[in-house]
Amino acid sequence: MRAALVVIALFLMAPPAMAVDVQKVVSKSGLEAWLVEDHANPIISLHFAFRGGAALDPDGKEGVADMTASTLDEGAGDMDSQAFQGRLDGSAITLSFKAGHDAITGRVETLTATRDQAFELLHLALTAPRFDQEPVSRIRDQILAALRVSMEDPSKIAGRKLMAVLFPGHPYGRPVEGTPESISAVTIEDIRAFAKGRLARDNLVIGAVGDITPDELSRIIESTFGGLPAKAAPWEIPQTRPASDGRTVVIAKPVPQSAVSFAQQGLKRNDADFYAAFIINHVLGGGGFGSRLFSEVRDKRGLAYSIHSYLYPLDAAALVSGSAGTANAAVAETLRLVREEWRKMAEQGISEKELADTKTYLTGSFPLRFSSSQHIASILVSMQLDSLGIDYLNKRNSYIEAVTLEDANRVARSLLKPETLTMVVVGEPKGLTDNK
């Protein structure tokens, strides 16, 4: 995996003629995968995603996507959970699944020597999962235990409440992991129905990196995924905008430090102004120690232990979001400064120097995202989910460089609306109450 990092980094920092070679591989039945070959180490990393995730959970059964993802590898075919996991462990194969709002994702990491076994196990997990009572009950108990812990975590409470406030009546307002009540209501039949409806060839994307040729990958994706149904169950997530009306919601909890989450309307990943917004957010709060929020709130005044902002594009909505952790006595001033920096950015924009420094950082640090074969494979999947094009890795930095100061400041004016910034505070903030 270290070799993969070096290869990709050298490609990205080299002259334009040395492009990252992402190859499109098509199986005999038409399944497609994107591949970056790297034969330096005998390792293969394959990631995949099925479009349509927890946002499709039925009402009252929130968390069924998460339970499905958590139990797919708990026995398949004629192997129960113990036998299946034993096969994985015995050959040092990593196989896992995860549910998000918009997709069910999975990955397999294997040595070349155990490649055939790894993909046979993946094939069984996808096409013949058992969902036996024992592992389903065990996983349910684990999820319920994790939920009990998260329900005492101020940051997680704030994050869940913010999504519920922003998206009332919409699937994005519901937690991916469900609630204790909904998880308790999920049945094995619900899990089987979700898997049957989502795991299909027409909503599948695949990315692979490592010691495998295009011909070998073509055969493997055919044997691994070719037995899935041709089409997933019909589905649609209604497009929406967050109900960001500038309210502040306070959830009382006896802790010395309040957790703050905040958000407003953002830009979708396919918006023409996304890269300008990406630069603006980096200067505002996404650039770590060098961002304006960190400088004004943390460095100059020592009000917050942590503070940042980020772009959060989803399939059916988009946010500019952020969070902070601060002493209860400093919450009100912290929120005032966040809104003030939001307003300054909207009205005054960024400087030429900030633009140049941000471009240098964002383009120069891009190769550092390729820290392992599995990270590269994950990026290949994201590129397909976001329809970025197979040449994105070679073009991405040019998109950053193309943003002008006029572009950035125009987007700052049109995007950032401090009066709509909705905030959730969990703790005992001094002098702060719900304002709506």
Side-chain angles (χ1 to χ4, degrees), residues 125-166:
L126 293 172
T127 61
R130 291 170 62 109
F131 302 126
D132 292 333
Q133 183 65 57
E134 185 280 325
V136 169
S137 296
R138 171 167 43 82
I139 295 299
R140 187 196 313 275
D141 289 344
Q142 291 173 3
I143 292 173
L144 289 171
L147 282 171
R148 287 192 290 271
V149 172
S150 71
M151 290 172 71
E152 296 301 319
D153 185 320
S155 295
K156 292 182 179 178
I157 296 170
R160 283 196 301 268
K161 182 63 175 179
L162 180 64
M163 292 297 283
V165 169
L166 293 174

Side-chain angles (χ1 to χ4, degrees), residues 7-8 11-12 17-26 32-38 206-210 212-214 217 366 370 375-384 388-396:
V7 169
I8 296 296
F11 277 150
L12 288 173
M18 295 183 65
V20 179
D21 185 17
V22 180
Q23 303 175 71
K24 180 188 293 186
V25 176
V26 181
E32 182 179 314
W34 290 5
L35 167 67
V36 172
E37 283 188 79
D38 175 15
I206 306 167
V209 176
I212 189 167
T213 68
L217 181 60
F366 186 53
F370 303 94
H375 288 161
I376 301 166
S378 178
I379 291 172
L380 294 178
V381 168
S382 296
M383 287 162 56
Q384 294 173 78
L388 299 180
I390 199 168
D391 55 356
Y392 172 75
L393 296 181
N394 297 315
K395 289 186 173 181
R396 183 268 192 184

Side-chain angles (χ1 to χ4, degrees), residues 242 244 262-266 318-320 342 415-418 420-422:
S244 51
F262 50 89
Q264 62 143 87
Q265 170 68 32
L319 298 171
V320 183
W342 225 261
L415 176 62
L416 299 178
K417 307 292 182 184
T420 72
L421 200 55
T422 298

Side-chain angles (χ1 to χ4, degrees), residues 91 138 201 284 421:
S91 297
R138 171 167 43 82
R201 299 197 303 271
L284 176 61
L421 200 55

Side-chain angles (χ1 to χ4, degrees), residues 1 8 12 19-20 22 56-57 83 92 96 117 125 131 194 201 210 218 225 253 285 301 307 315 321 333 382 399 404:
M1 287 186 282
I8 296 296
L12 288 173
V20 179
V22 180
L56 301 177
D57 287 348
S96 65
Q117 181 181 174
F131 302 126
F194 193 91
R201 299 197 303 271
S218 175
F225 301 100
K253 189 170 183 59
R301 297 172 176 84
I307 187 164
D315 284 357
S321 193
E333 179 65 3
S382 296
Y399 300 147
T404 66

Side-chain angles (χ1 to χ4, degrees), residues 71-88 95 97 118-132 135 192:
T71 52
L72 279 168
D73 62 349
E74 291 287 344
D78 61 2
M79 290 176 285
D80 63 12
S81 176
Q82 186 173 0
F84 191 89
Q85 290 295 319
R87 286 277 300 277
L88 291 172
L95 174 61
F97 300 87
F119 289 111
E120 172 60 20
L121 291 171
L122 173 57
H123 168 73
L124 287 173
L126 293 172
T127 61
R130 291 170 62 109
F131 302 126
D132 292 333
R192 290 189 188 280

Side-chain angles (χ1 to χ4, degrees), residues 131-333:
F131 302 126
D132 292 333
Q133 183 65 57
E134 185 280 325
V136 169
S137 296
R138 171 167 43 82
I139 295 299
R140 187 196 313 275
D141 289 344
Q142 291 173 3
I143 292 173
L144 289 171
L147 282 171
R148 287 192 290 271
V149 172
S150 71
M151 290 172 71
E152 296 301 319
D153 185 320
S155 295
K156 292 182 179 178
I157 296 170
R160 283 196 301 268
K161 182 63 175 179
L162 180 64
M163 292 297 283
V165 169
L166 293 174
F167 299 109
H170 190 276
Y172 287 161
R174 308 179 306 183
V176 169
E177 64 273 18
T179 66
E181 296 76 20
S182 66
I183 289 297
S184 297
V186 172
T187 66
I188 290 177
E189 289 71 27
D190 294 325
I191 295 172
R192 290 189 188 280
F194 193 91
K196 182 179 180 180
R198 301 274 29 94
L199 307 184
R201 299 197 303 271
D202 68 329
N203 64 341
L204 169 67
V205 299
I206 306 167
V209 176
D211 186 25
I212 189 167
T213 68
D215 286 344
E216 291 168 336
L217 181 60
S218 175
R219 292 192 295 271
I220 281 174
I221 62 175
E222 183 66 32
S223 62
T224 303
F225 301 100
L228 289 170
K231 292 185 178 297
W235 61 282
E236 182 179 3
I237 301 172
Q239 296 292 312
T240 189
R241 292 175 63 88
S244 51
D245 55 7
R247 78 181 74 180
T248 298
V249 177
V250 177
I251 299 176
K253 189 170 183 59
V255 290
Q257 176 179 323
S258 289
V260 181
S261 289
F262 50 89
Q264 62 143 87
Q265 170 68 32
L267 294 181
K268 301 283 283 296
R269 188 63 182 82
N270 61 356
D271 193 291
D273 286 327
F274 182 84
Y275 293 98
F278 192 57
I279 287 174
I280 287 296
N281 176 70
H282 183 86
V283 177
L284 176 61
F289 297 154
S291 72
R292 291 187 183 182
L293 287 177
F294 194 93
S295 174
E296 294 297 326
V297 177
R298 174 71 170 86
D299 278 355
K300 292 182 179 179
R301 297 172 176 84
L303 294 175
Y305 304 102
S306 62
I307 187 164
H308 72 287
S309 65
Y310 55 94
L311 303 185
Y312 186 21
L314 293 156
D315 284 357
L319 298 171
V320 183
S321 193
S323 64
T326 182
N328 288 320
V331 174
E333 179 65 3

